[in-house]
Amino acid sequence: AGWFRRLLHKPKPSSAESSLKSSHSASSSPSSSSSAKSSSSSSGTSLATSSISLSPVSAPDISAADSPRWDKSYDVCICHSEGDVELVEELVSYLEGQPESFRCFLQLRDAVAGGAVVTELCDAMQNSHCWVMLITPSFLQDPWCKYQMHQALAEAPMANGRTIPVLKDVDRKDYPRELRNIYYIYMALKEKSFKQIRDTVMRYLQELCRSSPKRME
């Protein structure tokens, strides 16, 4: 009987105490999560700090003297139709003007006079790290452009980042079936697309340097 009386006369917790308890027990509460983080970080601060400082992630220098970048004559081969020469010249000027001074093959400018067109193009593709396909309505109607596309795919069908399709004024449904397994860049804003092309080439060259046997040694 005594314990029953004490239970009846036990004071109820105040509203402030009850709200404090509920907020403290809630798993999604910012205050509870921050306190948990602070307590856990206090015990592992030195470990986390040392691991970051001991394993820095640095991008390889693609312009180093022993870089595999120099194993080929060009960094980028631009495949395009004759109707898109002006846009391609702007792209080449942009890439060659970057701090990395990308080496671009532009057929009308760099092909050897007197050389066979097919031979010049095949040599340029074999001696280029990446191929930019400027896919426009003119590109899709030009059999010569399709030949260039097939040559690039035959050269390295599974190499991520080497073939870089760039769509301009072309609907997604008209994207060449041969390239359906490769993500493309859609050129809406020219400056933004140029930067995306530059970043894609840069990533490929960095990965090439990172996986090079010379670097592993």
Side-chain angles (χ1 to χ4, degrees), residues 16-131:
E17 290 176 342
S18 60
S19 62
L20 180 61
K21 288 181 180 180
S22 62
S23 64
H24 181 72
S25 62
S27 59
S28 60
S29 169
S31 60
S32 61
S33 59
S34 61
S35 61
K37 287 179 182 177
S38 62
S39 61
S40 61
S41 62
S42 61
S43 61
T45 300
S46 58
L47 178 61
T49 305
S50 61
S51 63
I52 292 174
S53 60
L54 289 175
S55 57
V57 178
S58 59
D61 181 11
I62 66 169
S63 298
D66 61 345
S67 170
R69 174 189 181 186
W70 311 122
D71 293 344
K72 292 184 180 292
S73 303
Y74 302 99
D75 299 313
V76 189
C77 179
I78 313 292
C79 304
H80 64 93
S81 71
E82 290 187 10
D84 301 312
V85 171
E86 186 175 342
L87 177 60
V88 170
E89 288 177 342
E90 288 185 57
L91 173 59
V92 169
S93 178
Y94 171 84
L95 292 174
E96 293 180 343
Q98 294 301 301
E100 299 78 19
S101 299
F102 292 112
R103 301 162 301 157
C104 300
F105 176 83
L106 185 58
Q107 187 176 353
L108 294 177
R109 181 192 68 181
D110 301 316
V112 177
V117 175
V118 174
T119 303
E120 287 294 311
L121 177 64
C122 290
D123 287 348
M125 287 196 155
Q126 290 173 358
N127 287 297
S128 298
H129 288 293
C130 298
W131 309 295

Side-chain angles (χ1 to χ4, degrees), residues 186-197:
Y186 188 82
M187 186 177 289
L189 296 174
K190 184 169 57 179
E191 293 76 11
K192 182 179 179 181
S193 299
F194 282 7
K195 185 179 184 304
Q196 287 179 298
I197 294 170

